[in-house]
């Protein structure tokens, strides 16, 4: 079986983390998100993978190459302009098998793809769409079904007064290549707003595959942080971790032995943790993180090569690569892009987003 992963979106809701990094390459437990997805697909024996790329394609190619390092075959298909979800698949048509899967590139799930494929074959379906229950369907594509499991209605991003079910399009499809005949070439086209409703209108057999599997779209800072929290607390199959324990410390770290650590915490390679630091999980420190004396980091994700000065306090923050947070900075629920310097004594948040490169004005006080 072959899978195409849609990795070309602009990821505006995750900015500034995604100013230089495509959404599929943001790290989760210090590993690119897409690597977690590829390992999941491999686990279902799906090793022929097409990446439908848009902007920021190079980081993926540099990391995954031809896929052989991960035991898979990777084909990259690049769009010259955003083609929309169905347009991106049309653009890759020449590489696709008669039946293939499509995955949104920002979904993490342990959905049983093998069972979904069996379901699709048993019904001789043309399209099967995985459904997931959510608390707030307004951020997703609502899907209504009949008692026989046939899809009866699509409603993308409904308002609350339009909500009739909590089941939404989970962003995993099994499709027959025939349906691409209905997608115009060279122009943006959407599965959710155009192709699927048109197939329904034409009476084609569209089936829903509902499940209660773990499911999350990492497209917002809150959800990106939640995936880490869930994985580290052992709520995601394959990521069993004991609450309260330090999970993992990388190589060549220099950690002051008196550091107070309340896990779960993942620490990358070459990290330096100075005297008096307190870490409260769930927390991830990327490779080369340096934490200054008496800093306190709580429930945050820090990517690679970021340095905190003395007495920096972070709570529920997301910090990209190569940042410097000078002494006495405090930040809460703040997202910081690459290469940002935050001047000493700054107070950020909740909800601040600092774009790269930014220098906040220095407040009076000692460094
Ligand atoms: N190649 C390419 N080109 N990929 C794209 C494009 C494009 O023009 N536009 C979006 N994508 C990719 C994104 O990178 C992402 O992986 C996926 O398609 C879905 O796009 P999002 O922008 O994340 O959509 P969404 O989350 O608002 O809604 C979609 O996902 C929901 C589930 O999370 C819809 O499919 C909803 O119906 C669904 O419920
Ligand atoms: Mg999404």
């Amino acid at each position: 079986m072959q899978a195409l992963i849609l990795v070309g979106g602009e990821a505006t809701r995750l900015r500034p983390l995604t100013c230089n990094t495509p959404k599929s390459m943001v790290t989760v437990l210090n590993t690119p998100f897409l690597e977690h997805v590829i390992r999941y697909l491999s686990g279902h024996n799906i090793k022929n993978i097409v990446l439908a790329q848009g902007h920021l394609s190079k980081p993926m190619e540099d990391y995954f190459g031809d896929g052989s390092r991960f035991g898979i075959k990777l084909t990259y298909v690049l769009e010259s302009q955003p083609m929309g979800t169905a347009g991106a698949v049309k653009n890759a048509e020449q590489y696709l098998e008669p039946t293939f899967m499509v995955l949104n590139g920002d979904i993490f799930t342990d959905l049983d793809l093998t069972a979904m494929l069996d379901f699709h074959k048993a019904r001789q379906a043309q399209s099967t769409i995985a459904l997931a229950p959510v608390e707030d369907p307004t951020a997703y594509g609502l899907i209504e079904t009949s008692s026989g499991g046939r899809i009866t209605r699509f409603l993308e991003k409904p308002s609350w007064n339009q909500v009739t079910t909590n089941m939404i399009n989970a962003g995993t499809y099994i499709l027959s290549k025939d349906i691409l005949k209905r997608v115009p070439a060279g122009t943006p086209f959407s599965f959710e707003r155009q192709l699927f409703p048109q197939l329904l209108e034409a009476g084609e057999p569209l089936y829903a595959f509902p499940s209660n599997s773990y499911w999350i779209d990492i497209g917002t800072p809150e959800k990106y942080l939640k995936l880490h929290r869930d994985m580290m607390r052992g709520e995601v199959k394959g990521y069993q971790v004991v609450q309260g324990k330090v999970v993992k410390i990388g190589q060549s770290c220099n950690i002051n032995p008196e550091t107070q650590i309340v896990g779960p915490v993942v620490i990358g390679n070459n990290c330096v943790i100075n005297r008096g630091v307190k870490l409260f999980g769930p927390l991830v420190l990327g490779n080369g993180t340096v934490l200054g004396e008496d800093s306190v980091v709580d429930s945050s994700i820090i990517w690679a090569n970021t340095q905190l000065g003395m007495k920096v306090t972070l709570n529920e923050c997301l910090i990209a690569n190569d940042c410097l947070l000078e002494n006495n900075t405090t930040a809460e629920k703040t997202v910081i892009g690459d290469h940002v310097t935050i001047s000493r004594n700054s107070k950020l948040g909740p909800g601040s987003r600092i774009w790269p490169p930014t220098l906040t004005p220095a407040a009076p006080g000692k460094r």
Side-chain angles (χ1 to χ4, degrees):
M1 177 52 58
Q2 182 186 40
L4 178 147
I5 311 179
L6 292 163
V7 291
E10 295 190 355
T12 47
R13 288 165 294 181
L14 263 188
R15 284 185 195 157
L17 285 183
T18 45
C19 288
N20 305 317
T21 303
K23 185 159 53 170
S24 51
M25 291 301 283
V26 300
T27 55
V28 172
L29 304 182
N30 283 336
T31 298
F33 179 70
L34 189 54
E35 185 175 338
H36 292 277
V37 175
I38 282 173
R39 291 191 189 283
Y40 157 70
L41 289 174
S42 284
H44 285 279
N45 210 23
I46 299 168
K47 300 190 180 213
N48 177 358
I49 297 173
V50 178
L51 295 181
Q53 300 177 296
H55 77 146
L56 295 175
S57 55
K58 196 168 176 300
M60 279 174 242
E61 289 162 29
D62 289 348
Y63 188 83
F64 291 105
D66 64 0
S68 52
R69 198 159 63 89
F70 302 87
I72 56 161
K73 174 177 173 273
L74 266 184
T75 306
Y76 298 93
V77 184
L78 185 61
E79 295 156 20
S80 51
Q81 55 155 329
M83 296 304 286
T85 47
V89 176
K90 178 76 178 178
N91 192 46
E93 190 170 13
Q94 59 177 301
Y95 302 102
L96 297 174
E97 294 174 355
T99 300
F100 56 95
M101 289 192 180
V102 171
L103 278 79
N104 285 354
D106 57 353
I107 301 301
F108 190 88
T109 180
D110 57 15
L111 173 73
D112 186 346
L113 291 176
T114 311
M116 183 171 168
L117 190 56
D118 291 345
F119 173 98
H120 178 84
K121 284 183 189 156
R123 278 161 189 74
Q124 298 185 319
Q126 178 209 54
S127 309
T128 301
I129 299 176
L131 304 192
V134 292
E135 278 176 18
D136 177 4
T138 63
Y140 306 102
L142 183 146
I143 294 186
E144 292 177 6
T145 49
S146 69
S147 51
R150 291 273 291 250
I151 293 175
T152 53
R153 190 175 178 217
F154 293 92
L155 195 55
E156 193 63 18
K157 314 282 156 57
S159 56
W160 266 112
N161 62 6
Q162 295 175 305
V163 171
T164 50
T165 168
N166 67 339
M167 298 304 278
I168 56 117
N169 171 2
T172 301
Y173 318 133
I174 302 176
L175 303 176
S176 156
K177 194 175 177 179
D178 292 345
I179 66 169
L180 295 181
K181 290 188 190 128
R182 294 175 178 268
V183 180
T187 182
F189 212 72
S190 160
F191 275 122
E192 303 84 346
R193 294 180 193 275
Q194 293 171 287
L195 184 59
F196 289 150
Q198 286 173 16
L199 289 169
L200 197 60
E201 186 77 27
E204 301 286 359
L206 296 173
Y207 281 91
F209 185 74
S211 91
N212 279 316
S213 308
Y214 182 87
W215 184 90
I216 197 165
D217 174 331
I218 61 153
T220 63
E222 298 72 27
K223 291 290 164 71
Y224 172 63
L225 197 55
K226 182 173 176 355
L227 175 60
H228 280 87
R229 198 175 293 146
D230 293 347
M231 282 181 164
M232 295 173 85
R233 288 180 174 161
E235 287 165 24
V236 183
K237 232 182 270 167
Y239 294 86
Q240 259 61 21
V241 161
V242 181
Q243 169 88 45
K245 292 266 168 68
V246 171
V247 179
K248 198 174 163 195
I249 297 183
Q251 294 167 352
S252 308
C253 290
N254 185 355
I255 300 178
N256 184 290
E258 283 161 34
T259 304
Q260 183 185 339
I261 301 181
V262 179
V265 171
V266 171
I267 299 176
N269 301 326
N270 306 310
C271 292
V272 177
I273 299 185
N274 287 298
R275 194 170 50 80
V277 168
K278 293 179 184 160
L279 301 179
F280 299 102
L283 170 70
V284 179
L285 304 181
N287 294 337
T289 302
V290 178
L291 303 185
E293 287 181 14
D294 300 319
S295 288
V296 180
V297 185
D298 191 346
S299 309
S300 296
I301 311 297
I302 301 180
W303 292 1
N305 302 319
T306 277
Q307 187 177 349
L308 308 192
M310 291 190 291
K311 294 192 175 157
V312 171
T313 302
L314 303 182
N315 184 18
E316 291 189 40
C317 291
L318 303 175
I319 302 181
N321 301 303
D322 303 305
C323 294
L324 171 63
L325 280 65
E326 292 179 354
N327 297 349
N328 298 309
T329 293
T330 59
E332 192 189 343
K333 291 192 168 70
T334 292
V335 186
I336 302 181
D338 295 326
H339 311 297
V340 168
T341 295
I342 304 291
S343 301
R344 64 186 186 273
N345 301 331
S346 297
K347 289 201 179 353
L348 305 172
S352 304
R353 296 195 179 207
I354 317 285
W355 254 246
T358 306
L359 193 64
T360 54
K366 285 187 189 147
R367 177 135 188 208

